[in-house]
Amino acid sequence: MSFSNLGLSTPIVEAVTGLGYAQPTDIQTQAIPEILSGKDIIAAAQTGTGKTASFVLPMLEKLTTTNKLRGKRIRALVLVPTRELAIQVESNIKRYSENLELSSMAMYGGTEIEPQKQQLIWGVDILVATPGRLLDMAHQRALHFDVLEFLVLDEADRMLDMGFIDDINKIIERLPVKRQNLLFSATISADVRALAKRTIDPNACEISTVSKQSSKPQIKQWLVTVDKSNKSALLSHLIKEQQWQQALIFIETKHGAAKLVSQLAKRDISAESIHSGRTQAVREQILADFKSGKIQFLVATGIAARGIDIGELSLVINYDLPDKADDYIHRIGRTGRAGAAGEAVSLVAKDNFRNLCAIESRLGHVIERKAFEGFDVKKVVPVSILNYVPKNKRVN
Ligand code: AMP
């Protein structure tokens, strides 16, 4: 299968070929023809499967055939949970549309609103936005939706987790009724379904690539059980012993992130941290340095790391296990992207046992355990019960 066989025209095919995309990924093969035919879609697709191009490419194709852009108007709206993701998606749009006369913009909070208003003055074809800032713009009448043709809800599950449901509902109320809707989510939970019911044509095409082996390269997962007090020493040991060159390291809190960076520094390992306490400009610089390889180890809190897309990333470390199994799946999705090999390593202390059970139950198998000399545990982490259901979700 080639991109042109999917119904995309030469300027778009040339742009993606120029980026080295030899052939469409599974989600792209499934979604692109459906979107081109005008259908609404609900797609269960994780980050790393090529999902951004799967909605951007057909949208570009359709937007080039009509041209109704006016001042303070947008023709396509992509709602995303975080500013990092907004920046990343919009930069992909720029690359995919380099041979087209379409404009795009990323809009997010935490930065001055005026420059963003200015950017909207002549209208923008595709706007990628976080919900809060978008609503502010609409309230200030800096943005109108009357010529909108597309709504994309990207990482819908994450937007709901982050509490954006009210904002999303308010935004949807403002949109023209006749529009094409595309919803992407790593998992289609009951909440996502409820959102889809309100937004999407009941006859929408449903696409899933999550469980298909071909869509997701094999990610080598393993864990080491460790006493909490020994975690940073173990991590330093692993970095040296395994000769890791670069990794994204997930941690629970921003305080913990700063502490880990200094603990690693004491052992001559240079790392940086990215979390909500850092300014947007600093975060962007750190990300750029990490992508270029200047920074070897990036310690990130879950939310800050959400939108990170680093093509060659081969290793993800869960210094702290996430609370939710879905977050674990998202995190390991940072590695092994679009066909590359990946490795995901977790440091698991006894306190994390419940989380481990939930994750391994979700995976349907236990994760391989490795032990390292000098790091025997005092508090043993038992082997998981695979059909674990958290207490608050049990049905009696
Ligand atoms: P996404 O799932 O949209 O975050 O994409 C994950 C990564 O895969 C990004 O780095 C894309 O540039 C890359 N990618 C998307 N589509 C393809 C493709 N057809 N071939 C190779 N790489 C791709």
Side-chain angles (χ1 to χ4, degrees), residues 75-141:
R75 299 168 63 206
L77 171 62
V78 183
L79 278 181
V80 294
T82 64
R83 51 187 170 184
E84 280 78 12
L85 191 62
I87 293 168
Q88 180 195 309
V89 169
E90 199 268 334
S91 87
N92 281 339
I93 294 173
K94 283 237 152 49
R95 293 193 290 168
Y96 301 148
S97 62
E98 67 170 9
N99 303 325
L100 305 171
E101 306 261 302
L102 292 172
S103 55
S104 60
M105 167 184 174
M107 177 194 282
Y108 41 84
T111 62
E112 272 183 68
I113 200 163
E114 273 315 310
Q116 293 183 349
K117 272 190 191 167
Q118 289 306 316
Q119 245 186 300
L120 273 174
I121 288 260
W122 303 111
V124 164
D125 289 298
I126 307 173
L127 178 67
V128 187
T130 52
R133 176 54 62 94
L134 183 84
L135 265 185
D136 278 354
M137 284 285 182
H139 287 146
Q140 296 185 26
R141 307 193 58 75

Side-chain angles (χ1 to χ4, degrees), residues 8 34 164 206 242 290 326 328 368 372:
L8 298 168
E34 301 289 356
F164 285 135
E206 204 161 325
Q242 305 274 315
F290 186 56
D326 284 352
Y328 177 86
E368 182 193 353
F372 292 86

Side-chain angles (χ1 to χ4, degrees), residues 146-309:
D146 48 335
V147 300
L148 182 121
E149 297 164 49
F150 285 96
L151 169 68
V152 183
L153 299 169
D154 191 15
E155 304 208 353
D157 50 349
R158 177 48 57 127
M159 286 200 280
L160 297 180
D161 282 353
M162 289 173 69
F164 285 135
I165 186 65
D166 290 343
D167 285 352
I168 294 174
N169 285 336
K170 284 181 197 155
I171 292 164
I172 289 168
E173 274 171 23
R174 290 172 171 261
L175 305 183
V177 177
K178 192 172 167 299
R179 55 171 202 265
Q180 194 173 350
N181 301 290
L182 316 172
L183 181 149
F184 288 78
S185 193
T187 49
I188 308 288
S189 61
D191 288 345
V192 171
R193 282 224 177 269
L195 172 64
K197 215 170 159 188
R198 286 194 301 277
T199 21
I200 291 199
D201 180 349
N203 299 317
C205 162
E206 204 161 325
I207 293 173
S208 175
T209 60
V210 174
S211 58
K212 287 193 189 159
Q213 202 62 37
S214 60
S215 68
K216 195 73 196 151
Q218 202 61 45
I219 296 168
K220 194 166 175 284
Q221 301 172 61
W222 52 276
L223 63 81
V224 192
T225 63
V226 60
D227 289 327
K228 229 172 166 181
S229 55
N230 248 350
K231 270 191 176 180
S232 73
L234 172 64
L235 177 61
S236 311
H237 174 79
L238 289 174
I239 287 175
K240 290 182 179 164
E241 200 231 54
Q242 305 274 315
Q243 300 181 346
W244 286 335
Q245 297 306 313
Q246 205 184 31
L248 178 59
I249 303 168
F250 287 95
I251 197 160
E252 195 82 10
T253 63
K254 59 182 174 192
H255 169 71
K259 190 167 155 201
L260 180 58
V261 168
S262 75
Q263 284 167 326
L264 291 173
K266 282 188 196 137
R267 296 182 176 101
D268 294 326
I269 297 164
S270 118
E272 256 299 350
S273 65
I274 185 169
H275 51 70
S276 57
R278 311 202 81 155
T279 64
Q280 179 64 10
V282 170
R283 290 210 239 180
E284 280 170 26
Q285 187 55 51
I286 291 175
L287 264 186
D289 289 347
F290 186 56
K291 285 187 186 186
S292 72
K294 227 192 249 174
I295 293 174
Q296 276 186 286
F297 297 98
L298 182 59
V299 182
T301 56
I303 287 190
R306 178 67 181 165
I308 298 179
D309 172 25

Side-chain angles (χ1 to χ4, degrees), residues 3 20-25 28 46-53 88 92 95-96 309-311 337-338:
F3 280 102
Y21 298 2
Q23 57 187 44
T25 63
Q28 290 162 2
Q46 289 161 14
T47 301
T49 52
K51 72 179 166 65
T52 313
Q88 180 195 309
N92 281 339
R95 293 193 290 168
Y96 301 148
D309 172 25
I310 308 122
R337 318 200 91 191

Side-chain angles (χ1 to χ4, degrees), residues 321-325 351-360 388:
L321 272 188
D323 285 340
K324 291 186 183 154
D351 292 2
N352 310 126
F353 178 58
R354 274 159 175 265
N355 296 348
L356 181 66
C357 285
I359 291 165
E360 293 184 326
Y388 176 79

